[in-house]
Amino acid sequence: MRKSFLLAPSLLSADFSKLGSELIYIEENGGKLIHVDVMDGHFVPNLSFGAPVLKSLKGKTSLPFDVHFMVTNPSDFVKDFAEAGAEYFTFHIEAAVHAHRLIGLIREYGMKPGISLVPSTPVSVLQEVLPFADLVLVMSVNPGFGGQKMIPECIEKIRQLKKIREEKKLSYLISVDGGINSQTLPVAAEAGADIIVSGSSFFSGELRV
Ligand code: DX5
Ligand code: ZN
């Protein structure tokens, strides 16, 4: 398979007692972005990292931080994560009534806006905001936990997003997140994913690119 994607290992499956050296491990094993999963215990039933953790990692890698917000109030986190060094600020469309305004705020703070959708949300709800997005993150599991099995039906959304991007001459990157391992990665890559997120399979050593 021709490698046409960037690998974004997810820190959620890293050893939290040595996050600094886990960044080096990511760099040495083909990672091109650092995927950081921010969970608030409301949008998803789990808690993970806050801005101080990202801030402490800033300067320990030259790779960009691809931050995925699984939170109910994404706009509350824009300032702190911009200061902490986030490059991509990806929020869930299900958590953003005023998505267009939020995208503007993310850009004001110098970050790249990304929009994510859970498996039960169709691509069609993104129609009005796609022209303003730098990245679209297709969730291929229900968000909240690493180590889940991919829901294969979600892969079709990658094809749909690729088609819309061509038809409308847009430029967002398409990312996929959840249940990526050595079996499912080729399927996601063939469908057209530009960025592939992997947590448990990357850190267990099962997945190598
Ligand atoms: C899940 C997170 C993912 C998670 C992926 O809600 O958004 O980024 O770390 O983990 P794996 O690759 O183990 O499914
Ligand atoms: Zn994620």
Side-chain angles (χ1 to χ4, degrees), residues 35 37 68 70 177:
H35 187 82
D37 288 300
H68 174 196
M70 287 156 276
D177 183 7

Side-chain angles (χ1 to χ4, degrees), residues 61-109:
T61 176
S62 56
L63 298 180
F65 289 105
D66 166 34
V67 189
H68 174 196
F69 291 86
M70 287 156 276
V71 303
T72 50
N73 296 314
S75 57
D76 292 352
F77 297 92
V78 171
K79 181 174 182 288
D80 285 355
F81 275 82
E83 287 169 6
E87 174 140 340
Y88 285 97
F89 185 110
T90 296
F91 63 89
H92 270 267
I93 195 69
E94 302 85 6
V97 176
H98 304 293
H100 183 269
R101 179 190 291 160
L102 176 54
I103 286 170
L105 186 67
I106 293 165
R107 285 206 193 279
E108 264 176 49
Y109 276 91

Side-chain angles (χ1 to χ4, degrees), residues 151-167:
I151 301 167
E153 288 77 10
C154 297
I155 297 301
E156 179 57 27
K157 292 183 191 175
I158 300 173
R159 294 192 193 94
Q160 291 174 18
L161 284 160
K162 200 175 166 205
K163 189 161 176 270
I164 295 168
R165 183 173 64 189
E166 279 161 20
E167 284 170 1

Side-chain angles (χ1 to χ4, degrees), residues 8-10 12-13 35 37 68 70 116-117 119 137-155 158 175-181 183-185 187-188 195-201 207:
S10 166
L12 195 61
S13 292
H35 187 82
D37 288 300
H68 174 196
M70 287 156 276
S116 187
L117 64 178
L137 176 63
V138 173
M139 288 300 307
S140 42
V141 296
N142 288 294
F145 305 92
Q148 301 181 77
K149 195 170 173 297
M150 176 184 279
I151 301 167
E153 288 77 10
C154 297
I155 297 301
I158 300 173
S175 182
V176 60
D177 183 7
I180 297 287
N181 55 34
Q183 303 296 308
T184 55
L185 184 143
V187 182
I195 298 174
I196 294 195
V197 178
S198 177
S200 50
S201 296
L207 181 78

